[in-house]
Amino acid sequence: MTQAALTHPPAPPAPAAPEPAPRGLLRRAADRADWLGPIGVALFAGLLRFWNLGYPNAFVFDETYYPKDAWSLLEQGYEGTWPDSANADILAVPQHVPLTSAPEFIAHPPLGKWVISLGEAAFGLHPFGWRFMTALLGTVTVLMLARIGRRLFGSTLIGCTAALLMSVDGLQLVMSRVGLLDGVQMFFVLAAFGSLLIDRDRTRTRLAAAREGNGPDGDRIRLGWRPWRIAAGVFVGAACGVKWNGAMVLAAFGLLTVLWDQSGRRWAGARRPWRSMLRRDAPPALLAMVGSALVVYVGAWAGWLATGGRNAGGYDRHWADDRAGLSPDSFLGVPLPRLPMTWVPAPLRSLWHYHSQMYDFNTGLSTPHTYQSNPFSWLVQGRPVSMYWEQVPAGQHGCTASGGCAAQILGLGTPLLWWTACFALVYLLWRWFFRRDWRSGAVLCGVAGVYLPWFQYQERTVFSFYMVVLVPFLCLAVAQMLGAMLGPEGCTPERRRLGAAGAGLIVLAIVGCFAFFYPLYTAEVIPMTSWQDRMWFTSWI
């Protein structure tokens, strides 16, 4: 032992640190805000969507088609015909379901009606049953949007803001409370977008690991198995199986994912990122997106394909049986030569012919309708669709107004939200074009895939409620703009307070606007004067 050790003995060991006090409930909740926040917003949205869901006890707008088709799919595997008295018979007490086995021509693929049929299988053929699945998917979509916004912007607050905005959008609420197809398609489109975001993040992680590990350069990196891109193809294929306009979303998302691959390879040091993307990424992307989408789409027709019997089955199911193995005369409006196609099973040739008829119907539909509108007016809600209307005399159904009352379901997006979204889209265009902000580009890609294709159908009878599929992307755009209002990282507290006050006022104004129009979204009986106060423009009547 040294002299220093004897004269200066070592200090006694420091006392052990006390056990940390258990964290409070608020702290634990804050640590889990990435899930608790989205779940809380989704529960709020679910309350709005499921509250009194069976009212009105009526067929609302196109509910006269899809819930009955859904029930027919459950019973027969294909859409049968119904007599003119079917609506009254179904709503009568006791109920009578006058479904016949004769096949009915339909304008849309069957997957959306299969989804609606799940609620009918559980709760029966009545309004709550055929609206259950759209309400459930409308609620889950709010949860998905919160998580997608968090992943996209790296902020739980911005993600939850986007979800809150969608939960108080009138159009999304209405389409979640009626048994129509567009709310189902919205769910699948957003799920595909979220899957592509996860795929992008995981791909960037692989590229970063290869770059940091001095592996192959960006031109030669193999990205391997990408299940989330396949999932995106499955979801967008399901969107096509609900309505054909999902094919435009497939094209937009397919382009988006390969552009992300190109930029990722450039970031990883590729000298020829475009060539590398075309050689290594584009073919697998085509197979993953288009291939899986095609499989899901054809699978959606399984009930129609499986119906057998020479004199039974879906509409034109046996068209090819008497055609000596020849191809159809045309496909999607394009004349075709009559070619031997014995190598193609007769059910698939019949399905090909049926699709040609569906295409002719959907592209040639030009019958005037009171509530049709031009796509140019959709973003500003120029002509919303009245889906249900009842004039209630004084003294009936709780009406106490001397001038009578009204009950209406109006497919109107919350006006302040949609008008704010118009400015937000301009902001995102600026961010994408001048700042090369990939997040803005992703949202704009969704907007383009959903909205722009409708402009080619200027003569077709179209309606503004188709844009419910656009609502998640509009809410992401507004949330991104509100996030920018908070100020960049490192800004002064005063700047942050002013930005938060401005963003908060916008959100509160949108929520207040939703509350004002809420009676028109749920067929609440209100005095006629109150209804007139909500008709801000004559085009809404």
PDB file of all heavy atoms in Angstrom, residues 14 281 330 345 349 359 363 487 528:
ATOM      1  N   ALA A  14     -20.335   6.411  -2.631  1.00  0.00           N
ATOM      2  CA  ALA A  14     -21.521   7.277  -2.642  1.00  0.00           C
ATOM      3  C   ALA A  14     -22.764   6.447  -2.372  1.00  0.00           C
ATOM      4  O   ALA A  14     -22.849   5.285  -2.775  1.00  0.00           O
ATOM      5  CB  ALA A  14     -21.642   7.977  -4.004  1.00  0.00           C
ATOM      6  N   ASP A 281     -36.019  -1.663 -59.258  1.00  0.00           N
ATOM      7  CA  ASP A 281     -37.199  -1.360 -58.448  1.00  0.00           C
ATOM      8  C   ASP A 281     -38.504  -1.363 -59.237  1.00  0.00           C
ATOM      9  O   ASP A 281     -39.539  -1.791 -58.712  1.00  0.00           O
ATOM     10  CB  ASP A 281     -37.029   0.000 -57.764  1.00  0.00           C
ATOM     11  CG  ASP A 281     -35.797   0.051 -56.879  1.00  0.00           C
ATOM     12  OD1 ASP A 281     -35.542  -0.948 -56.196  1.00  0.00           O
ATOM     13  OD2 ASP A 281     -35.106   1.084 -56.890  1.00  0.00           O
ATOM     14  N   SER A 330     -65.940  -6.628 -77.974  1.00  0.00           N
ATOM     15  CA  SER A 330     -65.234  -5.416 -77.580  1.00  0.00           C
ATOM     16  C   SER A 330     -64.851  -5.528 -76.120  1.00  0.00           C
ATOM     17  O   SER A 330     -65.329  -6.415 -75.403  1.00  0.00           O
ATOM     18  CB  SER A 330     -66.103  -4.174 -77.803  1.00  0.00           C
ATOM     19  OG  SER A 330     -67.253  -4.223 -76.961  1.00  0.00           O
ATOM     20  N   PRO A 345     -60.779 -19.845 -69.675  1.00  0.00           N
ATOM     21  CA  PRO A 345     -62.006 -20.450 -69.147  1.00  0.00           C
ATOM     22  C   PRO A 345     -63.229 -19.594 -69.459  1.00  0.00           C
ATOM     23  O   PRO A 345     -63.170 -18.359 -69.450  1.00  0.00           O
ATOM     24  CB  PRO A 345     -61.745 -20.523 -67.643  1.00  0.00           C
ATOM     25  CG  PRO A 345     -60.260 -20.528 -67.513  1.00  0.00           C
ATOM     26  CD  PRO A 345     -59.741 -19.686 -68.635  1.00  0.00           C
ATOM     27  N   ARG A 349     -64.120 -15.366 -69.691  1.00  0.00           N
ATOM     28  CA  ARG A 349     -64.566 -14.678 -70.909  1.00  0.00           C
ATOM     29  C   ARG A 349     -65.908 -13.989 -70.672  1.00  0.00           C
ATOM     30  O   ARG A 349     -66.154 -12.888 -71.173  1.00  0.00           O
ATOM     31  CB  ARG A 349     -64.669 -15.679 -72.069  1.00  0.00           C
ATOM     32  CG  ARG A 349     -63.314 -16.023 -72.674  1.00  0.00           C
ATOM     33  CD  ARG A 349     -63.444 -16.892 -73.905  1.00  0.00           C
ATOM     34  NE  ARG A 349     -63.661 -18.290 -73.562  1.00  0.00           N
ATOM     35  CZ  ARG A 349     -64.699 -19.010 -73.951  1.00  0.00           C
ATOM     36  NH1 ARG A 349     -65.650 -18.466 -74.693  1.00  0.00           N
ATOM     37  NH2 ARG A 349     -64.812 -20.275 -73.600  1.00  0.00           N
ATOM     38  N   TYR A 359     -68.507  -0.896 -68.510  1.00  0.00           N
ATOM     39  CA  TYR A 359     -67.764   0.282 -68.959  1.00  0.00           C
ATOM     40  C   TYR A 359     -68.649   1.183 -69.821  1.00  0.00           C
ATOM     41  O   TYR A 359     -68.661   2.413 -69.641  1.00  0.00           O
ATOM     42  CB  TYR A 359     -66.536  -0.156 -69.746  1.00  0.00           C
ATOM     43  CG  TYR A 359     -65.722   0.990 -70.299  1.00  0.00           C
ATOM     44  CD1 TYR A 359     -64.780   1.637 -69.510  1.00  0.00           C
ATOM     45  CD2 TYR A 359     -65.910   1.434 -71.610  1.00  0.00           C
ATOM     46  CE1 TYR A 359     -64.033   2.697 -70.009  1.00  0.00           C
ATOM     47  CE2 TYR A 359     -65.171   2.493 -72.112  1.00  0.00           C
ATOM     48  CZ  TYR A 359     -64.241   3.117 -71.318  1.00  0.00           C
ATOM     49  OH  TYR A 359     -63.517   4.170 -71.812  1.00  0.00           O
ATOM     50  N   THR A 363     -69.443   5.027 -68.510  1.00  0.00           N
ATOM     51  CA  THR A 363     -68.924   6.168 -69.270  1.00  0.00           C
ATOM     52  C   THR A 363     -70.013   6.876 -70.050  1.00  0.00           C
ATOM     53  O   THR A 363     -69.846   8.039 -70.421  1.00  0.00           O
ATOM     54  CB  THR A 363     -67.824   5.711 -70.235  1.00  0.00           C
ATOM     55  OG1 THR A 363     -68.339   4.689 -71.110  1.00  0.00           O
ATOM     56  CG2 THR A 363     -66.629   5.179 -69.466  1.00  0.00           C
ATOM     57  N   GLY A 487     -44.520  27.517 -36.499  1.00  0.00           N
ATOM     58  CA  GLY A 487     -43.171  28.062 -36.587  1.00  0.00           C
ATOM     59  C   GLY A 487     -42.139  26.965 -36.734  1.00  0.00           C
ATOM     60  O   GLY A 487     -42.325  25.841 -36.238  1.00  0.00           O
ATOM     61  N   MET A 528     -88.015  25.216 -39.795  1.00  0.00           N
ATOM     62  CA  MET A 528     -87.722  25.575 -41.171  1.00  0.00           C
ATOM     63  C   MET A 528     -86.864  26.837 -41.245  1.00  0.00           C
ATOM     64  O   MET A 528     -85.993  26.960 -42.129  1.00  0.00           O
ATOM     65  CB  MET A 528     -89.033  25.796 -41.934  1.00  0.00           C
ATOM     66  CG  MET A 528     -88.854  26.030 -43.433  1.00  0.00           C
ATOM     67  SD  MET A 528     -88.118  24.625 -44.302  1.00  0.00           S
ATOM     68  CE  MET A 528     -89.464  23.444 -44.194  1.00  0.00           C
TER      69      MET A 528
END
